[in-house]
Amino acid sequence: MAVVTMDPSVDPAPATTRNRRRKDEWGSPTTYFIALLVIGVTLGPVAYIVLGGFRDNSQITDHPAGLPHPWVFSNYASVLQSSEFWNDFTNSVIVAVFTTAGIVVLGLMASYVLARYTFRGRGLMFGLFASGLMFPISVAVTPLYLLIKQLGMLFTLPGVILPQIAFGLPTTIIILVPFLKAIPDEIEEASAMDGCSRLGFFLRMVVPLAKPGLLTTGILAFVAAWNSYLLPLFILGAGDTATLPLGVKNFTGEHSVDTAQILAFTSLAMLPALLVFTLFERRIVGGLQGAVKG
């Protein structure tokens, strides 16, 4: 009796089933079309601003949607040689770095207490931080202005940094608490048996294990602080302490007839936040996924 053997490399499924399987693997063309449409709508204005900085005013007037021809590099060179740009850039770096550091450090400490300690009112405190997500900074900008004025911090960078830290804490705590809750109690018990103090456990174990969440919250805080406009507008005004978002407004007022230079200034102002978000996009997604799993 002959035995029939089948080649394992041959798929026994019908052709229609194989085609359907391939379609399921690649997804629906409609999904790709919608994704490309969203990408185009999102990146279109950014590409227009960046390419507009490489054109002169006559090119922009004659062909608003055209490509640079010829390419003009003097607009970016002029902005980079401007002391106003570097002054605003330095202020933005100071505000973004100190805001990010304050949000990450204070958020980690508060999240550690809420996640690892049991005490009366813990749920209420967590709910209080979570409710902060419902109140954007625009709602409190007028009371903040009056408070900062009373404290004598008007037209100073700390007057912007401290409120931004306060408004950035709710998001940070919501993300970090699941990370810290997911740390097994056995690790803390083993550390205590080895003579490690609670502070030592926090520094040696909690901080390294919470690194994905810290990177996520740090990147989000940096981008938000860099792009912040409303609070610096009220607190800093148009003086020497202005940040880059305010610098764009001031530069636009001073060079209202030079559209090409305005586009170049705007491109350089948004470039750092755009690069940080692009380079660490996977870190952000991974940190948020870890928070959901925790």
Side-chain angles (χ1 to χ4, degrees), residues 3-278:
V3 179
V4 179
T5 60
M6 298 184 62
D7 187 355
S9 62
V10 178
D11 192 351
T16 55
T17 304
R18 292 198 300 268
N19 293 335
R20 190 180 301 112
R21 190 182 302 166
R22 293 193 189 99
K23 184 178 179 181
D24 293 338
E25 291 176 355
W26 286 96
S28 173
T30 305
T31 304
Y32 283 95
F33 174 76
I34 295 175
L36 291 175
L37 184 63
V38 172
I39 292 173
V41 172
T42 304
L43 297 182
V46 177
Y48 179 83
I49 293 173
V50 174
L51 292 176
F54 290 103
R55 308 168 70 191
D56 55 29
N57 292 320
S58 60
Q59 294 182 36
I60 296 175
T61 303
D62 297 337
H63 304 284
L67 294 174
H69 183 74
W71 289 71
V72 179
F73 298 92
S74 59
N75 295 321
Y76 284 97
S78 177
V79 172
L80 291 174
Q81 294 172 1
S82 170
S83 60
E84 177 185 356
F85 172 81
W86 290 110
N87 178 75
D88 298 342
F89 180 85
T90 303
N91 293 334
S92 289
V93 170
I94 294 173
V95 170
V97 169
F98 279 92
T99 299
T100 303
I103 289 175
V104 171
V105 173
L106 296 178
L108 178 61
M109 292 191 293
S111 300
Y112 177 72
V113 173
L114 292 173
R116 308 295 299 183
Y117 288 84
T118 302
F119 55 91
R120 183 178 299 176
R122 183 180 67 169
L124 179 62
M125 184 177 296
F126 183 79
L128 182 63
F129 279 112
S131 65
L133 298 174
M134 299 186 297
F135 299 97
I137 199 170
S138 57
V139 175
V141 66
T142 301
L144 279 176
Y145 173 82
L146 298 176
L147 178 61
I148 296 298
K149 186 177 180 180
Q150 288 289 333
L151 295 175
M153 300 172 65
L154 205 60
F155 306 114
T156 63
L157 297 182
V160 173
I161 294 172
L162 295 178
Q164 289 188 159
I165 291 175
F167 276 87
L169 284 176
T171 303
T172 302
I173 291 174
I174 293 297
I175 294 175
L176 290 182
V177 165
F179 272 99
L180 304 183
K181 280 186 177 180
I183 299 176
D185 295 335
E186 291 78 6
I187 297 180
E188 186 172 2
E189 294 172 359
S191 300
M193 293 178 63
D194 291 338
C196 185
S197 63
R198 288 185 174 181
L199 180 60
F201 173 75
F202 176 79
L203 295 176
R204 298 176 184 177
M205 299 299 298
V206 173
V207 174
L209 291 174
K211 185 178 178 181
L214 294 178
L215 289 174
T216 299
T217 54
I219 295 166
L220 294 176
F222 180 88
V223 173
W226 186 275
N227 294 329
S228 179
Y229 175 77
L230 185 61
L231 184 63
L233 177 64
F234 274 76
I235 303 301
L236 302 178
D240 294 335
T241 56
T243 55
L244 272 178
L246 295 181
V248 172
K249 179 185 75 70
N250 300 333
F251 191 86
T252 302
E254 296 172 3
H255 303 80
S256 57
V257 296
D258 196 343
T259 306
Q261 278 210 16
I262 293 174
L263 294 177
F265 193 102
T266 305
S267 300
L268 293 173
M270 68 180 180
L271 185 61
L274 187 63
L275 286 177
V276 169
F277 197 86
T278 303

